[in-house]
Amino acid sequence: MTFINRVIVDRILENLVNVVLSAVFARRTSRDVRVFNRIFRALSRAARPAAGTRQLSRIHVLQTLLSSILFLSACGHVAGKQEETLYVTAPQTFLRDRVAPVYAKTGTVHNGDRVVVLEHGKRWERVRNARGEEGWLQDRNLVGENVFTAFQQLYRDRQNDPIQARGVLRGDFRLHLTPGRDTDRLFLLKEGEKVELLRRASVSKAASSAAPPPVTSPAEKQDVTEAVKEEEREYKGREKPSVPSSVPMKKPAPVEKLSPAEKVKRDKLLAAAPAVPMEDWWLARDAQGHAGWILARIVDIDVPLEIAQYAEGQRIVAFFPLTTVHDTETNKDEPYYLVLLTEPKDGMPFDYNQVRLFSWNLRRHRYETAYHDRNIFGLLPANVGHEAFAKLGVEPTFTIRVHDENGNAVEQKYRLEGVIVKRVLAPGETPVRSARAKPQRKRVPK
């Protein structure tokens, strides 16, 4: 081999060695350290004279380096593979050193923690948390990255939705991605936490209670028993707190008397609920920037007491302050409230069937009903605001959504003039009759 050829080969070898070293030190996993050692052992063997000829030695070094680079690239591809991450749904649980009834605790994870999967098992995953603790965790306590991303997207989609009411949780509950007990869930809300309620949905209780998977080991049997108890506590919640006796009650408004025909309509309205047991769910936002669905029965609508006492056995779905008046005797600004109510029963096809507006009587110093519309097929969301009108100035307004007689969702806007509620029509708009929550019975001529 000529001198020029040897120089060229030396340059090639030097560059290749630099590439190999850069690739090795750019990766700091234990697997790549082993690769690094193998490469240098191979270089040491190839550097020895082969058959007493220097030319053959250089050729062997070149071949070894090329093979090492290819091998390292393949290993780097495996080492650089994206880690599989999961998120913990349990309020708190332990990592185990083995999947067995008797085990040692190797770490602790909490709700919302991000863990890395190290090994897959049958209904179990060996994971590592952010503190470096490793152990086995049952997959019923884990959800994938796709669920976490879906929750983030749900919050972004709903962050500007109007608030229909505010509620207080009656017990600990985890946000669900969609309504239903067996749907994906993640973030834990604590008892007493306040949430913003946005939309309502109703699903079949039977359909949302999936059967648990078959138990095949004592360890799984123990965990399933604990899971069942946890589910019962979470979905049952606590009894709705009664109004404290120490709180003074205002004189209630007179109960409206229903005519025989109206009683028949109301009875039919209650009978219109599905025969299958149904559950109401709320789409809610919390203060931590999460959004998801919660079971309606475990949240109490945070309605002012002076309004809640006028519900007359109905369920308050949403409420909005419209305007205020100053009461000189109490020296307080008393708000007017728009209140949406429904029957005290889950699974109704409408979100609300009554609209009431409570105004403050400055002479009697109590709330009275200024407007009442009932037996309507109401849909959420509703909106309130203020709007300028010619010759009237700025007046409070509210907009509700209802089904018309053709079953289409339409908006109806109203304005408040003192204590008088009037319909607001856009230029060229003609009033459309809203559908009844329950069709009225036709009178048969005698």
Side-chain angles (χ1 to χ4, degrees):
M1 181 181 293
T2 64
F3 175 76
I4 297 177
N5 290 338
R6 287 199 300 271
V7 171
I8 294 174
V9 172
D10 289 338
R11 293 285 180 86
I12 294 174
L13 291 176
E14 182 181 357
N15 292 334
L16 288 175
V17 169
N18 290 334
V19 170
V20 171
L21 292 177
S22 300
V24 169
F25 286 107
R27 301 171 174 85
R28 300 189 180 271
T29 63
S30 59
R31 178 175 184 144
D32 289 334
V33 172
R34 294 194 298 269
V35 173
F36 176 78
N37 292 330
R38 290 181 60 182
I39 290 173
F40 273 86
R41 285 198 300 270
L43 289 175
S44 299
R45 289 194 299 269
R48 300 171 185 171
T53 61
R54 184 178 180 181
Q55 292 80 359
L56 189 59
S57 172
R58 292 180 182 276
I59 293 174
H60 283 181
V61 171
L62 179 60
Q63 292 174 344
T64 303
L65 281 173
L66 291 174
S67 301
S68 300
I69 291 174
L70 295 175
F71 180 74
L72 182 63
S73 299
C75 292
H77 177 72
V78 174
K81 184 179 179 181
Q82 186 176 3
E83 295 177 326
E84 182 181 358
T85 59
L86 300 174
Y87 292 84
V88 179
T89 63
Q92 176 180 319
T93 189
F94 300 103
L95 300 178
R96 306 179 175 194
D97 64 339
R98 64 177 66 88
V99 180
V102 180
Y103 59 89
K105 300 174 182 178
T106 60
T108 306
V109 289
H110 302 84
N111 178 260
D113 283 356
R114 179 179 179 272
V115 295
V116 177
V117 178
L118 304 177
E119 183 179 349
H120 293 284
K122 185 178 180 180
R123 301 192 187 121
W124 293 79
E125 313 291 339
R126 192 167 72 87
V127 300
R128 180 175 61 243
N129 61 16
R131 296 183 297 275
E133 299 168 338
E134 299 181 1
W136 290 93
L137 191 61
Q138 196 169 17
D139 56 7
R140 70 174 179 85
N141 294 320
L142 298 165
V143 293
E145 183 84 24
N146 60 326
V147 175
F148 178 79
T149 304
F151 270 104
Q152 290 182 315
Q153 185 62 44
L154 179 62
Y155 178 78
R156 287 193 293 268
D157 294 341
R158 300 301 182 186
Q159 61 182 341
N160 297 321
D161 283 10
I163 301 171
Q164 303 302 292
R166 287 178 170 83
V168 180
L169 287 180
R170 202 180 303 164
D172 295 352
F173 198 81
R174 283 167 286 184
L175 291 174
H176 287 238
L177 192 57
T178 54
R181 296 194 179 193
D182 62 336
T183 59
D184 291 321
R185 57 188 172 181
L186 181 52
F187 300 108
L188 176 68
L189 303 182
K190 291 290 189 178
E191 178 183 355
E193 189 169 342
K194 295 185 177 181
V195 292
E196 300 170 347
L197 305 178
L198 309 177
R199 294 176 183 270
R200 167 199 169 269
S202 187
V203 298
S204 170
K205 182 178 179 180
S208 63
S209 302
V215 178
T216 58
S217 68
E220 290 184 358
K221 183 177 181 180
Q222 176 183 352
D223 283 339
V224 167
T225 302
E226 295 175 357
V228 170
K229 293 180 180 179
E230 179 184 321
E231 297 284 333
E232 290 177 351
R233 289 194 302 268
E234 183 169 7
Y235 290 111
K236 183 178 180 181
R238 295 188 177 183
E239 295 296 328
K240 187 173 182 179
S242 59
V243 179
S245 58
S246 58
V247 178
M249 297 291 290
K250 296 180 183 290
K251 184 178 179 181
V255 179
E256 294 182 333
K257 296 182 179 180
L258 299 179
S259 65
E262 289 175 335
K263 288 182 179 180
V264 171
K265 287 191 294 183
R266 181 170 181 174
D267 292 341
K268 287 186 176 182
L269 188 63
L270 293 174
V276 178
M278 303 289 286
E279 290 181 328
D280 284 354
W281 289 71
W282 275 106
L283 177 60
R285 287 193 305 243
D286 67 358
Q288 287 72 44
H290 303 139
W293 291 87
I294 58 177
L295 190 62
R297 73 163 59 100
I298 62 99
V299 60
D300 294 318
I301 305 297
D302 194 13
V303 187
L305 180 61
E306 56 269 21
I307 294 300
Q309 64 181 341
Y310 296 146
E312 300 173 358
Q314 303 302 292
R315 179 183 297 175
I316 295 179
V317 176
F319 67 96
F320 310 86
L322 283 179
T323 187
T324 59
V325 293
H326 185 74
D327 193 322
T328 56
E329 183 171 320
T330 62
N331 195 25
K332 291 173 55 179
D333 290 333
E334 304 290 352
Y336 286 17
Y337 286 102
L338 173 71
V339 182
L340 309 180
L341 305 97
T342 188
E343 304 296 336
K345 190 174 184 178
D346 284 7
M348 304 306 290
F350 41 81
D351 293 329
Y352 57 92
N353 67 335
Q354 295 186 49
V355 177
R356 298 185 69 174
L357 194 149
F358 292 99
S359 62
W360 182 257
N361 190 313
L362 293 174
R363 290 183 299 175
R364 299 183 178 180
H365 312 290
R366 71 177 190 187
Y367 278 103
E368 295 180 347
T369 301
Y371 175 79
H372 190 191
D373 191 6
R374 56 189 174 186
N375 197 28
I376 64 174
F377 200 109
L379 304 170
L380 294 176
N383 292 276
V384 298
H386 289 78
E387 189 174 335
F389 296 94
K391 300 180 181 180
L392 295 175
V394 178
E395 298 286 351
T397 62
F398 64 90
T399 304
I400 61 174
R401 297 174 65 246
V402 298
H403 271 175
D404 63 12
E405 293 179 326
N406 298 321
N408 302 317
V410 296
E411 291 187 348
Q412 295 180 344
K413 180 184 287 188
Y414 299 84
R415 72 168 180 261
L416 178 64
E417 299 179 15
V419 294
I420 306 299
V421 174
K422 292 185 177 182
R423 178 74 182 275
V424 177
L425 298 176
E429 180 184 0
T430 57
V432 178
R433 289 190 60 184
S434 60
R436 299 290 92 184
K438 182 65 179 178
Q440 299 182 9
R441 185 177 60 177
K442 294 181 180 180
R443 295 184 178 181
V444 179
K446 296 182 180 180

